[in-house]
Amino acid sequence: MDNFIFTNTTKLVFGRGTEEQTGEMIRQYSDCRKILLVYGSERIKRDGLFERVAASVRAQGMEITELGGVKPNPRLSLVYKGIELCRREGISFILAVGGASAIDTAKAIGVGVPYEGDVWDFFLNKATPQTTLPTAAVCTIPAAGSESSLSAVITNEEGGLKKSINLDLIRPVFSILNPELTYSLPPYQIGCGVVDMLTHVMERYFTNTAEVDVTDRLCEALMKSIIVNGVKTYQNPTDYAARAEIFWAGAVAHNGSLNVGREQDWASHRIGIELSGKYDLAHGASLSIVFPAWMRYVYRHDIDRFVQFAVRVWDVDIAFAKKEEIVEEAIRRMCAFFRQLGMPITLAEAGIPTDGFEEMADKATFGDTIPVGHFVPIGRQAMIEIYKLCAGNRSLG
């Protein structure tokens, strides 16, 4: 196990009706007069969530400036609009109501307001944020874990570049998690969310760090819970017990507690991000396609870890004749699980063409100068080969 320092400063307020505490929670962190409320569609107004949150905010003497229109794969142009709004209106607190796209937009606005340069500098690693407006979230989609993570991912429409920043500074000061707020999610978003949180754990699980049994076991338990409750949630969207388990699983999967003392990978996310950026594909769908292909490409690097994953997470019988057969059976069961959630596992199933592999690999590796991932560093040509595997459901060779 490697040395580590762990901290997560986000306060999580979990359970039924907790969105009505939003205004009171903001007052614990700020004496602001105005807040910026960031959200996606008008659904939060139709179902009454917006007014419940707004009423709690106004009860604390605060005014609301709205910034709607957040889209999946959140856009830099809306971040710029939010920065300008905050500066013009004297706003000093940002509240996201929605899923990861709204939360990531709020985080990006937060670091952009006090910065004199272009906020995109942070995403290109040209500068590092030193301060931010405080942000918070009322989370409506259990998936990305952005409600307590140190990450924000934004897409620059010019060039289709999708980049991230990762630092403790941008963690929300608090997040509201009411499982009932997720009842109205369509099946596709449920599937995308479950895949996203499962793969967040997998990016931590496939590591080169030795002797990490505690976090191995924590990862395995969380993955098994996601598998069981993900199907329950997909089949019965108003099952509060399953929804609660999935909501909490999504937060734990990405709050940093599972990666302490161990190297992480993140190659599959980087490979999937290029698919999302180029084709506007939902993040979870990109991962259900990429992860099986990545596994088939790298499993030989540490086949025993893949066998452990197969046996402990997918209950594959250790008595299979060969280790390769154990790994292949795990991938087959994982793909079957993704299909239970209505998710694609090939590019064709997602309607994605197969003529952009070189362009995406160039972008992800900065012209083959920086490989992605750590378990097996993936360069330009290796990424192209993984994209080729994404085009078809091939068995292990």
Side-chain angles (χ1 to χ4, degrees):
M1 185 184 297
D2 297 335
N3 292 357
F4 67 86
I5 296 173
F6 173 71
T7 183
N8 188 316
T9 55
T10 303
K11 179 181 286 188
L12 298 177
V13 184
F14 190 99
R16 292 183 172 96
T18 47
E19 68 274 14
E20 296 177 5
Q21 302 176 34
T22 304
E24 179 184 343
M25 292 298 302
I26 293 174
R27 272 287 170 248
Q28 293 181 21
Y29 293 94
S30 176
D31 60 357
C32 63
R33 186 173 62 85
K34 294 181 178 181
I35 73 162
L36 181 70
L37 198 157
V38 179
Y39 63 97
S41 72
E42 295 297 304
R43 180 173 65 90
I44 68 167
K45 293 186 176 180
R46 292 193 298 270
D47 65 16
L49 174 59
F50 181 93
E51 186 51 41
R52 294 197 301 278
V53 171
S56 74
V57 170
R58 295 182 185 119
Q60 297 295 322
M62 292 174 278
E63 300 175 17
I64 295 172
T65 298
E66 296 182 32
L67 179 65
V70 175
K71 298 179 180 179
N73 301 311
R75 311 309 202 256
L76 179 62
S77 58
L78 195 68
V79 173
Y80 286 147
K81 184 176 180 180
I83 292 170
E84 194 277 330
L85 268 175
C86 287
R87 290 173 176 170
R88 186 180 72 224
E89 300 295 329
I91 290 167
S92 55
F93 194 98
I94 306 171
L95 176 69
V97 180
S101 295
I103 301 170
D104 285 4
T105 299
K107 290 176 177 178
I109 295 169
V111 294
V113 172
Y115 181 56
E116 294 182 357
D118 185 342
V119 68
W120 191 242
D121 291 346
F122 300 142
F123 293 86
L124 296 178
N125 295 316
K126 293 181 178 180
T128 301
Q130 301 301 314
T131 186
T132 184
L133 298 190
T135 64
V138 177
C139 192
T140 63
I141 303 176
S146 189
E147 63 269 16
S148 62
S149 80
L150 48 64
S151 302
V153 183
I154 297 295
T155 297
N156 187 338
E157 302 96 310
E158 295 185 11
L161 296 173
K162 189 172 181 180
K163 301 292 182 183
S164 66
I165 53 174
N166 302 275
L167 66 165
D168 284 315
L169 176 71
I170 66 172
R171 293 187 194 272
V173 293
F174 73 85
S175 288
I176 303 288
L177 283 71
N178 175 1
E180 291 180 326
L181 300 182
T182 69
Y183 284 179
S184 60
L185 288 175
Y188 183 67
Q189 282 193 313
I190 295 173
C192 284
V194 172
V195 170
D196 194 12
M197 66 181 70
L198 180 69
T199 57
H200 282 163
V201 185
M202 291 164 65
E203 296 283 19
R204 293 162 165 94
Y205 188 76
F206 291 103
T207 181
N208 292 313
T209 310
E211 298 178 337
V212 284
D213 186 59
V214 170
T215 44
D216 270 358
R217 300 283 185 173
L218 290 172
C219 288
E220 290 156 3
L222 189 60
M223 285 188 282
K224 289 183 75 70
S225 181
I226 290 169
I227 292 163
V228 170
N229 289 290
V231 172
K232 288 182 179 179
T233 299
Y234 187 79
Q235 293 176 343
N236 184 3
T238 58
D239 181 342
Y240 181 86
R243 284 287 194 181
E245 298 287 357
I246 282 295
F247 219 154
W248 184 235
V252 174
H254 206 34
N255 69 4
S257 61
L258 300 180
N259 51 262
V260 294
R262 61 195 293 149
E263 180 185 65
Q264 304 172 68
D265 186 52
W266 296 103
S268 295
H269 268 69
R270 284 298 307 136
I271 297 167
I273 277 173
E274 295 304 328
L275 284 173
S276 294
K278 182 173 177 61
Y279 299 108
D280 203 21
L281 178 67
H283 181 55
S286 76
L287 293 167
S288 65
I289 295 169
V290 168
F291 234 109
W294 173 86
M295 294 174 78
R296 290 188 167 100
Y297 190 83
V298 305
Y299 78 95
R300 292 182 183 88
H301 173 69
D302 186 352
I303 194 169
D304 289 336
R305 174 154 287 274
F306 276 88
V307 168
Q308 177 177 296
F309 172 74
V311 173
R312 293 185 182 178
V313 177
W314 296 102
D315 299 321
V316 179
D317 192 337
I318 194 66
F320 269 65
K322 297 179 180 179
K323 290 181 178 180
E324 288 80 3
E325 292 180 4
I326 296 174
V327 175
E328 179 57 44
E329 178 62 15
I331 297 173
R332 188 196 68 77
R333 293 184 187 187
M334 184 176 71
C335 289
F337 170 66
F338 291 160
R339 289 196 186 283
Q340 277 188 284
L341 301 173
M343 302 305 295
I345 62 171
T346 66
L347 294 173
E349 290 176 13
I352 301 297
T354 58
D355 58 358
F357 297 166
E358 290 81 3
E359 176 191 347
M360 292 186 290
D362 277 334
K363 283 184 179 180
T365 63
F366 295 90
D368 206 22
T369 60
I370 304 175
V372 301
H374 296 94
F375 184 68
V376 175
I378 303 296
R380 179 183 183 276
Q381 189 56 45
M383 190 174 297
I384 291 171
E385 294 304 316
I386 291 172
Y387 282 133
K388 290 179 180 178
L389 289 172
C390 291
N393 188 15
R394 302 182 186 179
S395 297
L396 298 184

